Amino acid sequence: MIETFIDQTLLELTQRGLKRKIRTIEGRQNREITIDGRKVLNFCSNNYLGLADDPRLGAAATASIVAEGFGAGASRLVCGNFSSHQKLEDCIAKFKGTERALLFNTGYIANMGIISSLYGRGDMIFSDKLNHASIIDGILLSGAEYKRYAHADMESLAAMLKAAPESVKKLIITDSVFSMDGDIAPLPAIVALAKKYSAAVMVDEAHGLGVLGRNGKGAVEHFGLEGQVDIQMGTFSKAAGSFGAYCCGSARLIDFLINKARSFIYTTGLPPNVAAASLKGLEIIVKEPQRREKMWENTKFITNGLKEMGFDTLNTQTPIIPIVVKDSSLSVDFSEKLLAAGIFVSAIRPPTVPANTARLRVTVMATHTTEDLNRLLSIVKTIGKESCLI
Ligand SMILES: Cc1ncc(COP(=O)(O)O)c(C=O)c1O
């Protein structure tokens, strides 16, 4: 029976142009990667600052392996808590200007653990319609009432908050940079509504850390909202070039999560060398603002170029630049033609994005050269014309 179910599901996905496959990268992760023995330009990673293969991260991890070994050996509450974990938690809390921080093994399980430990049956969670899957899954796991407001629509959010009973425990949760659309959440308005209706605010800065704000602290810094967001979650797996996630907030919040977040308690600690590499990534974010400046320069160049050609790039404001082609099969076709021409941009299809909004998700890095950028624009233009998209 299970075989029939699997076969039917896979067939259906294939027929609808939604079947996914994994491509293997041979060698290092940067602006140029090797796939199937061919070097291609990489325009789809979240490695915005080009740190994923920075030798300094590798050296930090190696030094930790020498000093601390490889595996954590146990959950952090048993005997798997190392100096590297502690140092990273202290540094990210200091960087974000919060009392404390707690590491989680990934952003996905951070969202599951934070949301489901703090909220449950009888509570209400107000979530942007385009929030990341890990937020949605965290809400579903919590059992709280799930209220989806229209994307970045503050009237929709205000109406839902107004209709909610005053006595109910409420949370408003949003991506800071929307991972598939590249726009920035209207955080000042969210914070104002939260104050008005006595709700807490949680922000997922997965794509905000290292990208937004004068010092790369994220959307909270970008909007000058320090001290006004209750829960700041984010990851080291994107701009910081490493792996793992954090939750920053009050000492009280972190103490609560250590005691109640099941995805923190019941899992082996992150290998300490990964925490050491994340710490190095964070240090580079602080010390090398020129990387962020270059990333923004490259972002503006590509966004303007694609817009001038007439592509639909939605309301992107960041290095995540969608090229909406709507049809799923067409998006795969576009991606394959790009790959044949030496450029890797993966197609993003439902259910990752809403129906009929399949797209190429172009992402820009600090390390892309002017030649790389011009090559992308020129090839995308040719294929876009052939496919009657522009
Ligand atoms: C907004 C957002 N939150 C959370 C995650 C999950 O983070 P991780 O890859 O560390 O699990 C991602 C992407 O992966 C994301 O885009």
Side-chain angles (χ1 to χ4, degrees):
M1 236 169 102
I2 189 67
E3 287 86 355
T4 314
F5 168 75
I6 292 170
D7 289 346
Q8 273 173 356
T9 307
L10 290 175
L11 181 66
E12 195 190 311
L13 287 174
T14 307
Q15 285 167 344
R16 292 170 61 204
L18 295 178
K19 180 126 184 293
R20 303 172 193 251
K21 72 174 179 200
I22 304 179
R23 287 191 196 277
T24 305
I25 308 297
E26 300 141 31
R28 305 175 78 91
Q29 172 67 260
N30 210 317
R31 52 170 275 283
E32 192 173 61
I33 48 178
T34 305
I35 300 177
D36 298 332
R38 261 178 79 223
K39 280 197 169 150
V40 293
L41 284 179
N42 180 10
F43 275 98
C44 57
S45 79
N46 300 316
N47 180 22
Y48 306 114
L49 301 178
L51 294 179
D53 74 336
D54 191 297
R56 291 170 291 179
L57 270 69
T62 307
S64 158
I65 289 174
V66 172
E68 299 173 301
F70 192 81
S75 76
R76 291 191 53 211
L77 282 167
V78 178
C79 64
N81 186 36
F82 288 75
S83 320
S84 288
H85 297 126
Q86 217 56 62
K87 272 190 214 151
L88 180 58
E89 282 174 349
D90 293 346
C91 275
I92 187 73
K94 193 166 169 226
F95 181 59
K96 292 275 194 171
T98 60
E99 285 177 358
R100 275 185 78 183
L102 184 68
L103 297 182
F104 284 84
N105 289 3
T106 71
Y108 187 93
I109 69 163
N111 280 332
M112 299 285 280
I114 298 165
I115 300 168
S116 67
S117 60
L118 288 162
Y119 293 86
R121 249 165 248 256
D123 301 332
M124 283 176 126
I125 303 182
F126 303 83
S127 171
D128 189 290
K129 211 170 172 182
L130 294 190
N131 275 346
H132 190 259
S134 55
I135 293 178
I136 299 169
D137 292 356
I139 298 171
L140 295 177
L141 182 67
S142 77
E145 198 175 326
Y146 177 20
K147 297 284 194 187
R148 287 199 321 166
Y149 59 89
H151 176 51
D153 183 338
M154 293 300 97
E155 280 179 20
S156 164
L157 174 60
M160 286 180 180
L161 285 164
K162 198 170 173 198
E166 235 176 82
S167 59
V168 164
K169 193 162 116 224
K170 305 178 194 76
L171 172 71
I172 307 172
I173 181 162
T174 185
D175 282 16
S176 70
V177 173
F178 288 91
S179 56
M180 296 297 139
D181 284 39
D183 53 339
I184 304 172
L187 259 195
I190 289 175
V191 167
L193 283 171
K195 280 187 185 145
K196 184 167 175 191
Y197 293 100
S198 307
V201 178
M202 172 167 168
V203 179
D204 178 337
E205 294 265 32
H207 301 272
L209 182 78
V211 170
L212 290 181
R214 210 165 64 84
N215 300 292
K217 295 182 193 176
V220 172
E221 181 189 29
H222 171 78
F223 287 116
L225 291 170
E226 289 90 344
Q228 297 182 66
V229 171
D230 305 276
I231 307 166
Q232 296 185 53
M233 170 271 172
T235 67
F236 296 108
S237 50
K238 291 153 174 92
S242 180
F243 187 77
Y246 62 84
C247 178
C248 287
S250 65
R252 175 196 287 129
L253 169 71
I254 300 308
D255 213 17
F256 175 91
L257 293 174
I258 289 171
N259 284 279
K260 287 286 182 183
R262 291 168 67 85
S263 71
F264 171 80
I265 299 168
Y266 298 107
T267 194
T268 299
L270 203 61
N273 65 88
V274 173
S278 299
L279 181 60
K280 185 52 74 179
L282 191 58
E283 278 171 19
I284 298 173
I285 287 175
V286 174
K287 284 193 194 137
E288 297 181 4
Q290 65 275 18
R291 284 180 178 267
R292 193 162 40 262
E293 282 154 25
K294 186 70 185 150
M295 179 209 69
W296 280 112
E297 198 184 298
N298 289 350
T299 296
K300 281 178 193 133
F301 186 79
I302 292 296
T303 306
N304 292 340
L306 292 173
K307 276 190 178 155
E308 274 162 25
M309 287 175 203
F311 283 108
D312 178 4
T313 56
L314 300 174
N315 184 29
T316 178
Q317 296 164 279
T318 64
I320 301 170
I321 309 167
I323 300 180
V324 178
V325 304
K326 296 185 180 167
D327 180 73
S328 293
S329 302
L330 194 59
S331 70
V332 175
D333 192 48
F334 199 147
S335 168
E336 276 171 7
K337 283 181 179 158
L338 278 173
L339 191 57
I343 295 188
F344 188 33
V345 184
S346 56
I348 308 287
R349 295 159 285 168
T352 306
V353 291
N356 206 31
T357 69
R359 65 198 65 179
L360 294 176
R361 177 182 179 267
V362 173
T363 53
V364 176
M365 298 168 62
T367 45
H368 282 133
T369 64
T370 309
E371 199 190 337
D372 298 340
L373 303 179
N374 282 322
R375 204 163 137 220
L376 173 79
L377 287 181
S378 146
I379 294 172
V380 163
K381 188 175 183 179
T382 308
I383 301 172
K385 277 189 174 163
E386 277 167 20
S387 313
C388 300
L389 284 166
I390 49 170

